Amino acid sequence: MSSLEGNVESRNEETAGVKANKAGELMAGLDAEELLHLGLHATEHDDPSKAIDLLKQCLALEPSNAKATYLLGALYAQIAMYDRAKEALSRALELDPTLSTAAFQLGLLHLTSGDIHVATEVWQRLDVLPDEHAFNLFRRGLLALVDD
């Protein structure tokens, strides 16, 4: 490698480092709500690694954010990190017991892991929804399949 090539490579690495630092500084100025919305945006644009990073930053600022915790759990399930998904979804329900989507997904994770009793217990949270709500229809259908 010539000294000119070495200088160009060194400058490219420096430029990349400066850009990464500036991006980090920009993210540091965002509040929890902005990070949550950026995490949603990254999720909608099929960028789970970026979404997970943004949601973790959101939760570092606001650990009791049930929606961010739920979304993190859903993303973990999407990338097949089921234990982390269960933990995050359980935490989201601790923070906000009315998150029926989190209850449905957590129950589904337990059901597909073979923990039918736990799934049934989690899904009892859906009893507050109307009988004809999609979550209740799916729950009844899935449990009927398991019983057969």
Side-chain angles (χ1 to χ4, degrees):
M1 176 187 318
S2 72
S3 64
L4 178 59
E5 288 172 328
N7 286 340
V8 169
E9 188 172 312
S10 176
R11 284 211 173 144
N12 285 343
E13 289 173 4
E14 287 175 21
T15 302
V18 168
K19 286 181 181 177
N21 265 350
K22 286 185 179 183
E25 289 171 12
L26 289 174
M27 291 297 202
L30 299 175
D31 65 29
E33 185 178 7
E34 292 165 331
L35 290 163
L36 173 64
H37 283 270
L38 287 170
L40 278 168
H41 182 78
T43 301
E44 291 166 356
H45 288 85
D46 200 27
D47 192 350
S49 64
K50 184 175 183 179
I52 288 170
D53 183 50
L54 290 163
L55 292 170
K56 284 182 172 182
Q57 288 180 54
C58 173
L59 289 167
L61 292 175
E62 196 175 287
S64 62
N65 189 317
K67 289 179 183 175
T69 305
Y70 158 71
L71 288 171
L72 185 60
L75 283 164
Y76 282 143
Q78 181 182 341
I79 62 171
M81 295 183 76
Y82 302 119
D83 289 337
R84 285 191 187 190
K86 289 176 191 175
E87 289 173 20
L89 293 170
S90 294
R91 173 77 176 132
L93 286 168
E94 288 172 15
L95 294 169
D96 184 355
T98 68
L99 286 176
S100 57
T101 305
F104 181 77
Q105 286 189 307
L106 181 59
L108 189 58
L109 282 170
H110 283 293
L111 184 76
T112 57
S113 313
D115 297 327
I116 298 162
H117 180 71
V118 177
T120 302
E121 285 181 12
V122 170
W123 278 342
Q124 287 177 351
R125 295 171 178 265
L126 302 175
D127 289 342
V128 298
L129 300 174
D131 283 342
E132 67 279 355
H133 191 282
F135 290 154
N136 281 322
L137 296 173
F138 278 114
R139 167 179 64 161
R140 284 195 299 275
L142 290 168
L143 289 174
L145 286 173
V146 171
D147 284 341
D148 284 344

